[in-house]
């Protein structure tokens, strides 16, 4: 019997144990969990399938983009698949349970910085763990004349996860992907890219000029597994 809750498809227990050892050397024991109690919250699904099909093998909690890049390198080395969630409130579709058994949940809820809010131009730049509630509280605290559009599952969800989901809210700003402006993404090879004018050195218009130069690629990072979003502009 395996000492792990689940194993990624095609990965032996010995290989998985080695991968976990490397992830722990990077993040420490507390931020790489494999025990059933810690994984319990990633097993809840609300679709008519057995939970067995969606059991994660581990959960990890990076805090920086550099850590995510290092995680991707280890994932490539041991072929351990990653399942990214921002706040993991994807209720109705699968909560924060991975799409396939044995994936490692990359839980980004501890990356919670509201990096910048521009009241005059009406945009912000956030990390994955920032919720709509966090943003509303931030506006209130700084007496900003701004209001955030929230989807039905409530303000506990994240602009990042909801936009990656291509979710919707209720006001004229409710089409959340349409009102995103600039992404930072860690690709499968560990490279970091910024879309739109975020890729232009010393750009000051990343959240103000959605299109940038050349092809517009943001859409391929929504409802996909082409990259890990680490920053999102909301306008
Ligand atoms: C009763 C009910 C009503 C709902 N109503 C609405 C509604 O009105 N509007 C709406 O939009 N949704 C609705 N939902 C669906 C869902 O709850 C929301 O979409 C919610 O915002 C998703 O949660 P989250 O923001 O925590 O995203 P997460 O759970 O963190 O992420 C959602 C998915 O996006 C991807 N993802 C997340 N973060 C990243 C990242 N950093 N990089 C790459 N991929 C990532 C992953 O595939 C993940 O599974 C509803 C659900 C229920 C049950």
């Amino acid at each position: 019997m395996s000492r792990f809750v689940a194993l990624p498809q095609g990965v032996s227990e010995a290989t998985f144990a080695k991968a976990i050892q490397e992830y722990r050397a990077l993040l420490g024991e507390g931020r790489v969990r494999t025990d059933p109690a810690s994984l319990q919250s990633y097993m809840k699904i609300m679709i008519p399938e057995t939970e067995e099909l969606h059991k994660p093998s581990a959960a990890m909690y990076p805090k920086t983009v550099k850590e995510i890049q290092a995680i991707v390198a280890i994932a490539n080395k041991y072929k351990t698949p990653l399942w990214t969630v921002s706040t993991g409130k994807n209720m109705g579709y699968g909560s924060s349970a991975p799409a396939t058994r044995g994936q490692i949940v990359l839980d980004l809820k501890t990356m919670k910085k509201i990096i910048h809010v521009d009241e005059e131009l009406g945009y912000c730049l956030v990390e994955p763990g920032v919720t709509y509630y966090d943003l509303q509280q931030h506006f209130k605290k700084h007496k900003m004349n701004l209001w955030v559009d929230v989807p039905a599952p409530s303000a506990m969800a994240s602009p990042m996860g909801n936009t990656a989901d291509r979710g919707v809210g209720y006001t004229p700003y409710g089409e959340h992907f349409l009102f995103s402006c600039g992404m930072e993404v860690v690709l499968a090879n560990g490279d970091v890219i910024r879309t739109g004018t975020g890729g232009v050195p010393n750009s000051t218009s990343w959240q103000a000029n959605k299109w940038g130069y050349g092809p517009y690629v943001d859409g391929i990072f929504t409802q996909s597994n082409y990259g890990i979003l680490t920053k999102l502009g909301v306008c």
Side-chain angles (χ1 to χ4, degrees):
M1 196 178 141
S2 173
R3 67 190 149 116
F4 296 107
V5 168
L7 288 171
Q9 212 179 349
V11 177
S12 72
E13 176 145 3
T15 303
F16 188 68
K18 271 194 217 154
I20 290 297
Q21 215 174 354
E22 279 199 35
Y23 287 129
R24 286 192 169 140
L26 175 72
L27 302 176
E29 189 119 350
R31 291 199 282 140
V32 181
R33 311 308 298 244
T34 55
D35 58 292
S38 300
L39 298 187
Q40 192 59 44
S41 64
Y42 305 104
M43 293 188 202
K44 180 94 191 127
I45 55 166
M46 297 181 199
I47 43 181
E49 276 187 341
T50 161
E51 286 180 3
E52 286 300 317
L53 294 174
H54 301 276
K55 274 192 171 166
S57 52
M60 297 195 286
Y61 309 90
K63 287 183 185 160
T64 64
V65 174
K66 279 211 174 328
E67 283 182 350
I68 294 175
Q69 288 179 281
I71 285 170
V72 167
I74 300 169
N76 277 315
K77 183 173 168 188
Y78 293 100
K79 306 284 177 238
T80 48
L82 303 171
W83 177 258
T84 310
V85 296
S86 286
T87 42
K89 307 291 183 200
N90 199 15
M91 282 109 65
Y93 300 117
S95 311
S96 46
T100 60
R101 184 180 168 87
Q103 287 179 289
I104 298 178
V105 179
L106 191 64
D107 189 336
L108 304 184
K109 67 169 169 280
T110 46
M111 293 174 73
K112 254 187 113 55
K113 276 193 227 92
I114 296 174
I115 298 161
H116 182 62
V117 179
D118 190 308
E119 187 181 10
E120 194 182 352
L121 296 182
Y123 69 72
C124 62
L125 182 66
V126 295
E127 287 192 333
V130 172
T131 64
Y132 290 99
Y133 179 77
D134 295 332
L135 270 177
Q136 192 57 42
Q137 289 300 101
H138 183 90
F139 299 161
K140 224 170 160 176
K141 183 173 165 198
H142 298 283
K143 300 190 177 11
M144 291 177 155
N145 194 21
L146 293 171
W147 189 38
V148 68
D149 180 281
V150 168
S154 97
M156 69 185 171
S158 59
M160 186 82 76
N162 191 260
T163 303
D165 242 0
R166 293 208 289 268
V168 291
Y170 292 95
T171 74
Y173 287 76
E175 177 58 81
H176 290 159
F177 174 59
L178 188 65
F179 288 97
S180 67
C181 193
M183 292 173 169
E184 181 184 80
V185 188
V186 178
L187 302 177
N189 66 357
D191 284 354
V192 178
I193 61 155
R194 289 183 172 182
T195 66
T197 50
V200 180
N202 305 319
S203 166
T204 53
S205 60
W206 191 15
Q207 274 65 61
N209 177 356
K210 194 181 171 87
W211 310 116
Y213 303 107
Y216 176 73
V217 296
D218 296 38
I220 64 170
F221 300 113
T222 61
Q223 291 199 4
S224 82
N225 58 358
Y226 289 124
I228 297 165
L229 304 175
T230 47
K231 290 184 185 67
L232 178 76
V234 179
C235 54

